[in-house]
Amino acid sequence: MDNDKQHGQPLSKMEYVLQRLRSEMASGEILPGRQIRQAEIAERYGVSPTPVREALRLLEADGMIQYTPHRGATVTELSARELNDLYLIRTSVETEVARLAGERATPEQVAEIRRQHEELKEAARTADAETLSAMNRDFHLAFLRTGSPLVTQHVVAPLWQGFLPPSRSQWRSDERKSLFIAEHEALVQALEQGDAESVADAMSHHLHSAAKSRAED
């Protein structure tokens, strides 16, 4: 734990627990609806219950976990309506940031996005759904950072990391994998052409596909 640092400074025990919990929620290792037992987390992370309790309070304030009378702390599980609302907001924001990417991305950034896309495309042949979900998240955030690092970090990333963790089921289906890879290809091609409107249209179309896919799970 002593090796875990943030901005060059050692993490406190609470920060360490908070970082690990956020990471496991983002990766899908801790799924929505799962009960969080303080004693279990403390033992697994090698800390006392106190920093776990403090970290859970912060996650509750962020809306990432909630407390119920009979189950205690559980990871927030969105209703169909809430999920739809989040996708509406996400589509609106990411479409506009994608438009900026079409205007601002440098040749070096475009080349890196192409590399990540090809890497995900190749991994889709053999990698498991959890790995593909994580790679998909990394691709999207890298793509959007070429448009606006600030909005990506403070608006988009929190949705992915908290309320919209990777859905393993979306990448279990060969049909969906093929669809998402094809839609990513359309995004990358539009970015390579520097066509901002086409980039925005491709992102909007892709996010509507993803929303429909999640609604069917």
Side-chain angles (χ1 to χ4, degrees), residues 25-215:
M25 290 179 190
S27 70
E29 185 174 346
I30 298 179
L31 293 170
R34 175 174 166 179
Q35 187 175 8
I36 302 293
R37 300 183 185 277
Q38 291 185 28
E40 175 189 329
I41 294 296
E43 181 179 359
R44 187 153 65 90
Y45 291 1
V47 299
S48 71
T50 300
V52 177
R53 184 164 55 249
E54 293 171 348
L56 290 177
R57 286 173 182 162
L58 291 176
L59 292 173
E60 181 186 21
D62 288 344
M64 294 178 66
I65 68 166
Q66 55 189 356
Y67 283 89
T68 56
H70 302 294
R71 298 190 65 196
T74 58
V75 181
T76 300
E77 188 168 20
L78 301 178
S79 67
R81 181 176 182 178
E82 289 170 330
L83 187 61
N84 182 66
D85 289 346
L86 282 173
Y87 261 98
L88 285 174
I89 299 302
R90 184 183 160 199
T91 299
S92 177
V93 173
E94 292 191 34
T95 295
E96 291 309 309
V97 178
R99 192 190 313 276
L100 293 177
E103 297 172 354
R104 299 174 176 175
T106 67
E108 293 77 17
Q109 289 174 324
V110 173
E112 174 60 18
I113 294 301
R114 166 58 73 179
R115 185 197 66 76
Q116 285 189 256
H117 168 62
E118 294 298 332
E119 188 176 76
L120 175 56
K121 181 179 177 181
E122 181 62 28
R125 301 175 184 271
T126 56
D128 59 36
E130 183 176 358
T131 298
L132 295 176
S133 291
M135 293 178 70
N136 174 63
R137 180 189 69 244
D138 291 344
F139 169 82
H140 271 264
L141 294 180
F143 192 105
L144 294 169
R145 278 195 294 269
T146 68
S148 174
L150 180 68
V151 174
T152 301
Q153 178 182 351
H154 294 290
V155 180
V156 180
L159 290 175
W160 281 86
Q161 295 168 358
F163 297 107
L164 292 172
S167 172
R168 298 178 188 177
S169 60
Q170 293 210 86
W171 290 89
R172 285 180 182 156
S173 163
D174 288 339
E175 181 180 355
R176 288 180 181 177
K177 282 193 291 187
S178 297
L179 173 64
F180 292 156
I181 292 297
E183 290 175 348
H184 283 186
E185 177 64 33
L187 270 170
V188 176
Q189 287 187 8
L191 189 68
E192 290 172 333
Q193 294 165 5
D195 186 338
E197 289 303 315
S198 292
V199 174
D201 288 345
M203 181 63 80
S204 178
H205 175 77
H206 179 48
L207 293 176
H208 278 100
S209 291
K212 181 179 178 181
S213 175
R214 280 191 186 266

